[in-house]
Amino acid sequence: MDFDLIVPTLGRSAELARFLDALEAQSYRSFRLIVVVDQGGQAGLEPALAPYRDRIRLQLLDSSRGLSRARNAGLRPVAGDVVSFPDDDCWYPPDLLQRVADTLERNPDWDGLAGRTVDESGRSSVMLWQKQPGLITRGNVWRTAITVTIFLRHALVERVGFFDETLSLGSGTPWGSGDETDYVLRALAAGFTLGYDPSIVVYHESPNPPFSRSAAKRAYGYGMGNSRVLRMHGYSRWFEAYSVLQLAAGSGYFLVRGRLGLARFYWAMAMGGTTGWF
């Protein structure tokens, strides 16, 4: 089983080096890393990649601006049996690819697999994850899958195709997120089966945004994007209202704890979600 790992980057050399070190430490060695650099940044990134070229199969590509466009640029040359989409600021435990390969081999009827993210201390991060393993559905996709934790068989990727380039950071649209959830929902609608195993983890720190207008603007776009996906896939207004209320409650939780940056971030996501629905 051969893996293609597509990692978009804006040239964050230190974070990417940590990810490359984690790849070098993998017990499972049958993988290729496809690094996609935004807008002609290959020359600036080459010094960071040079020490690894003799130790990791690596391909460097250019892409136009936008996270989904970068992922799509990486999808064009994929040939591996399994495709994944790590961020440049995540990193893998040494046995991750081996565990994913073993799980997919034990479940040949699964067309893909998702795990969860944890921070450096091992606590769940990024979002509120479902605790129980099982199959991914329309109802639980929001708690079982994000881009860095999904591993998809090649047949699914061939059928579902490319990410929606209107749904991501840098897309040039109001919708600053939702491309990965849209992708998984399209896979489910096409009849594919995806498993979820929370014991399979990817390291990724939770966001800690500053109390700033730019962070709030980004969060507003995330909320807009999530609501856009809900409407595209026929979710009810009650489900959208529940999602917005969860974000508002999260804002209140962080406000009480004195984490003003996160409180403002979650409130902006809630406001973006409300606007995005309409």
Side-chain angles (χ1 to χ4, degrees):
M1 188 178 294
D2 202 19
F3 287 77
D4 273 338
L5 312 173
I6 300 169
V7 56
T9 183
L10 288 170
R12 295 190 290 191
S13 299
E15 291 88 347
L16 187 60
R18 179 177 61 182
F19 179 66
L20 289 164
D21 287 339
L23 284 185
E24 193 174 7
Q26 289 298 300
S27 57
Y28 191 92
R29 304 302 302 170
S30 186
F31 64 85
R32 173 178 59 157
L33 178 64
I34 302 173
V35 180
V36 186
V37 188
D38 187 6
Q39 295 182 322
Q42 287 197 22
L45 197 61
E46 189 58 48
L49 298 178
Y52 300 92
R53 283 195 173 275
D54 293 335
R55 306 194 295 270
I56 294 174
R57 278 195 297 154
L58 194 152
Q59 183 174 356
L60 185 58
L61 302 174
D62 271 329
S63 167
S64 54
R65 182 169 176 77
L67 195 52
S68 290
R69 294 186 185 98
R71 290 177 180 138
N72 287 343
L75 278 174
R76 291 185 179 96
V78 295
D81 303 300
V82 178
V83 182
S84 189
F85 307 93
D87 287 345
D88 60 0
D89 59 347
C90 78
W91 69 104
Y92 289 171
D95 63 346
L96 175 71
L97 295 182
Q98 183 66 65
R99 293 199 62 197
V100 171
D102 290 346
T103 302
L104 289 174
E105 286 179 0
R106 288 197 307 270
N107 297 276
D109 55 326
W110 287 7
D111 302 295
L113 168 68
R116 65 185 171 102
T117 52
V118 298
D119 62 20
E120 194 167 13
S121 70
R123 294 176 299 185
S124 290
S125 64
V126 179
M127 69 179 194
L128 185 63
W129 291 95
Q130 178 174 298
K131 294 181 179 180
Q132 301 80 18
L135 296 182
I136 297 176
T137 68
R138 279 174 53 91
N140 69 17
V141 65
W142 307 91
R143 295 179 291 117
T144 55
I146 60 173
T147 317
V148 301
T149 66
I150 57 175
F151 297 84
L152 307 175
R153 295 192 195 268
H154 192 97
L156 182 155
V157 171
E158 276 196 330
R159 173 81 177 277
V160 176
F162 294 117
F163 286 86
D164 185 333
E165 294 182 355
T166 68
L167 297 170
S168 70
L169 282 173
S171 64
T173 73
W175 306 301
S177 71
D179 55 330
E180 72 267 46
T181 308
D182 168 69
Y183 201 92
V184 172
L185 287 169
R186 284 157 53 199
L188 295 177
F192 290 104
T193 301
L194 298 170
Y196 168 68
D197 184 348
S199 73
I200 292 176
V201 300
V202 172
Y203 289 112
H204 197 299
E205 297 294 337
S206 290
N208 187 24
F211 188 83
S212 69
R213 181 174 295 180
S214 61
K217 183 178 179 180
R218 187 171 72 252
Y220 188 86
Y222 291 167
M224 290 274 287
N226 287 337
S227 286
R228 170 79 169 172
V229 172
L230 287 169
R231 290 200 68 179
M232 289 168 61
H233 291 276
Y235 283 84
S236 69
R237 288 179 181 260
W238 290 111
F239 194 97
E240 165 62 11
Y242 174 71
S243 300
V244 169
L245 286 173
Q246 278 190 312
L247 292 169
S251 175
Y253 170 80
F254 287 118
L255 182 63
V256 169
R257 294 176 66 88
R259 302 186 66 177
L260 299 184
L262 275 170
R264 185 177 186 181
F265 194 85
Y266 271 74
W267 183 254
M269 282 185 67
M271 294 302 97
T274 303
T275 304
W277 180 261
F278 295 103

